[in-house]
């Protein structure tokens, strides 16, 4: 593994994010789990050669970003926490090779030590499923490195009685306060409603239906509804059988202003977004 990022890879910073967001269509983020226990594809890509092959396949299919994660955060399934050492052991054999493919890479981790390692190798974006509120070292690290960060809404437990959108807004206010105090510029922040995380199936759908209410923050929004459990609440299915529901959710998210779509199924998502855009352009 190379110890330094490829010179062809753009450095982490606001220009990477700005370039992605200036495109007419939402950017498509391809999911790459180098884990044994992720809810949809656990174990499929933990071998370095399989992970690299998967990254290449998603790039060829039109992925604008590769999001790599080495710890399962699967909602509802009792994912077991792993140490930073565990994550690093899974990332080290493959991360620099994926960065060298030349497409921006994001690191899906809630641990500052893991994110620091990834940024050192040329990863462009930090993706924190706890929105800067779990690891106290995350916000200062992001600020010091000048990296864009995806701030995801999360909850320790599900509460079906709450207004989930109000909860999301309050969570994001806390995250943005943490970011501001650390010195993270607002133009480096993306909000993620965290579909499926700390939410009932009904609340996940409400979060999507009311996605436009996040416009009050004036920040780009990422949506990752790919293969999530709420789809099965409408149409019973296993994760691998939820492509249609994932596409439907992502098209609605795009119509409501989402600027990044995170998906396991890159080719199909890219096609759906292009066709929807082509149809809308004829109005």
């Amino acid at each position: 593994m190379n110890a330094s990022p490829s010179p062809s890879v753009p450095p982490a910073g606001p220009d990477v994010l700005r370039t992605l967001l200036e495109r007419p269509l939402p950017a498509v983020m391809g999911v790459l789990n180098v884990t044994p226990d992720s809810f949809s594809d656990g174990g499929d890509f933990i071998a370095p050669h399989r992970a690299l092959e998967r990254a290449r396949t998603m790039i060829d299919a039109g992925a604008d970003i590769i999001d790599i994660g080495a710890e399962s955060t699967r909602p509802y399934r009792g994912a077991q926490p792993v140490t930073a050492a565990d994550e690093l052991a899974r990332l080290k054999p493959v991360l620099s090779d994926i960065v060298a493919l030349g497409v921006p890479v994001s690191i899906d981790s809630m641990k500052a030590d893991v994110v620091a390692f990834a940024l050192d190798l040329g990863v462009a974006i930090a993706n924190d499923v706890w929105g800067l509120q779990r690891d106290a070292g995350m916000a200062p690290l992001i600020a010091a490195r000048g990296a864009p960060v995806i701030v995801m809404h999360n909850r320790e437990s599900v509460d079906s009685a709450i207004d989930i959108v109000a909860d999301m807004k309050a969570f994001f206010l806390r995250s943005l306060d943490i970011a501001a105090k650390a010195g993270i510029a607002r133009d480096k922040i993306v909000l993620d409603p965290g579909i499926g995380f700390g939410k009932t199936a009904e609340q996940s759908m409400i979060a999507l239906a009311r996605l436009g209410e996040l416009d009050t923050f004036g920040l780009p929004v990422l949506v990752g509804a790919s293969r999530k459990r709420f789809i099965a609440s409408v149409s019973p299915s296993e994760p691998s059988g939820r492509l249609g529901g994932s596409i439907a959710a992502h098209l609605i998210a795009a119509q409501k202003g989402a600027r990044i779509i995170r998906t396991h199924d890159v080719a199909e998502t890219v096609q759906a977004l292009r066709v929807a855009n082509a149809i809308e352009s004829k109005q």
Side-chain angles (χ1 to χ4, degrees):
M1 184 187 72
N2 297 328
S4 58
S6 165
S8 65
V9 177
D15 289 344
V16 172
L17 186 60
R18 186 179 301 118
T19 298
L20 292 168
L21 297 177
E22 284 177 350
R23 298 175 183 180
L25 292 177
V28 173
M29 172 185 280
V31 178
L32 179 58
N33 293 313
V34 290
T35 58
D37 58 345
S38 291
F39 81 97
S40 176
D41 55 6
D44 289 354
F45 308 113
I46 197 165
H49 73 282
R50 293 278 292 131
L52 187 60
E53 178 185 3
R54 178 64 172 168
R56 288 192 177 112
T57 297
M58 290 193 291
I59 292 169
D60 289 344
D64 300 297
I65 312 165
I66 299 297
D67 187 51
I68 185 167
E71 177 181 13
S72 173
T73 51
R74 51 189 175 156
Y76 300 106
R77 298 289 187 92
Q80 295 300 309
V82 302
T83 66
D86 292 328
E87 286 189 60
L88 292 172
R90 295 169 181 174
L91 291 168
K92 285 179 179 178
V94 71
L95 184 55
S96 63
D97 290 333
I98 290 173
V99 170
L101 295 175
V103 167
V105 176
S106 58
I107 179 66
D108 180 358
S109 180
M110 65 184 82
K111 299 181 182 69
D113 288 347
V114 175
V115 172
F117 168 81
L119 294 176
D120 284 345
L121 289 182
V123 164
I125 302 167
N127 183 6
D128 184 358
V129 299
W130 276 100
L132 306 176
Q133 297 185 36
R134 177 57 62 89
D135 186 332
M138 186 71 80
L141 170 71
I142 299 301
R145 301 298 184 89
V149 61
I150 298 163
V151 170
M152 195 190 86
H153 172 264
N154 213 332
R155 289 178 53 84
E156 292 285 358
S157 60
V158 174
D159 182 351
S160 61
I162 65 172
D163 179 338
I164 196 63
V165 176
D167 192 80
M168 287 161 48
K169 289 180 177 179
F171 180 96
F172 288 140
L173 285 173
R174 292 193 298 273
S175 293
L176 293 173
D177 183 60
I178 292 168
K181 288 177 178 176
I184 300 173
R186 283 182 71 94
D187 66 356
K188 299 180 186 179
I189 299 172
V190 175
L191 303 182
D192 177 353
I195 302 302
F197 288 83
K199 300 170 183 66
T200 65
E202 180 78 5
Q203 287 172 333
S204 286
M205 289 187 281
I206 289 170
L208 287 166
R210 295 171 59 188
L211 192 68
E213 293 184 36
L214 298 182
D215 289 349
T216 57
F217 290 102
L219 295 171
V221 172
L222 175 151
V223 168
S226 183
R227 304 183 184 180
K228 293 291 176 69
R229 190 184 185 203
F230 80 89
I231 297 169
S233 74
V234 177
S235 179
S237 51
E238 292 300 312
S240 62
R242 298 173 188 166
L243 174 61
S246 302
I247 295 292
H250 286 150
L251 288 180
I252 288 172
Q255 289 172 348
K256 292 182 178 294
R259 296 302 301 143
I260 304 175
I261 300 296
R262 184 180 185 273
T263 180
H264 299 82
D265 303 293
V266 171
E268 296 86 351
T269 302
V270 168
Q271 183 182 76
L273 290 169
R274 288 176 179 172
V275 171
N277 181 70
I279 293 170
E280 289 174 349
S281 72
K282 305 304 179 185
Q283 295 182 12

